[in-house]
Amino acid sequence: MADLEVKKILIEESLRKNQMSQVFDVVANDKMVFFRSLQEYQKNKLLLGIILDESAYTTITIFFGKLVDESKKDDIIKLVNELNGVHNVEKFVLNKNNELLVQVPYISLSEDFNGDVAIDLLRALYGMLTKNAYSRFEEILGESMYNKL
């Protein structure tokens, strides 16, 4: 069985075990599998994702907003840099489309891959974002950051 299929099955089993399988949609092709969930937080919609491929790298990402007001870009970049200096594993990103993301990698070969670890990392990432960082972005951007997904 291909490495990608093994990892997919392990994530699906972990989601079932944690009673989360109905929360995630799966988008797949020959090269990647994307588990995604849209979660409401305060007045915003957060897109949670686990991206699997054949490599040893699994990317766990939360898309939590967008920079609409360019005049706030320097403040957001300063905050992203500050948070990235504090958090050793989680990385905040303002991408070229002015989308706000936070990511954590899970590095594991398929024979050592553990779906529970991936789900635990997603939960920890969500908790860190909502408890420690989200409000700081909202203070700068207000409701303009809210996703229209």
Side-chain angles (χ1 to χ4, degrees), residues 6-93:
V6 168
K7 292 192 283 186
K8 178 182 182 270
I9 289 168
L10 291 170
I11 292 287
E12 289 171 336
E13 288 173 358
S14 183
L15 288 172
R16 273 192 298 279
K17 183 170 56 174
N18 288 285
Q19 299 177 344
M20 297 171 64
S21 57
Q22 299 301 324
V23 176
F24 283 84
D25 294 329
V26 180
V27 177
N29 63 30
D30 293 343
K31 298 184 186 216
M32 67 73 120
V33 176
F34 179 42
F35 288 86
R36 66 182 179 190
S37 176
L38 198 58
Q39 297 294 311
E40 296 221 7
Y41 178 73
Q42 296 180 2
K43 298 176 189 173
N44 201 357
K45 293 182 174 103
L46 309 183
L47 179 61
L48 287 60
I50 301 172
I51 302 169
L52 308 171
D53 62 20
E54 292 285 344
S55 75
Y57 300 96
T58 297
T59 305
I60 300 166
T61 302
I62 300 174
F63 168 61
F64 64 93
K66 187 160 182 140
L67 172 66
V68 178
D69 182 353
E70 287 286 328
S71 71
K72 307 283 185 165
K73 192 167 193 165
D74 288 342
D75 292 335
I76 291 298
I77 290 171
K78 183 179 176 184
L79 177 57
V80 164
N81 288 335
E82 177 188 332
L83 291 169
N84 286 340
V86 172
H87 297 277
N88 295 328
V89 177
E90 306 94 352
K91 291 299 168 208
F92 287 86
V93 176

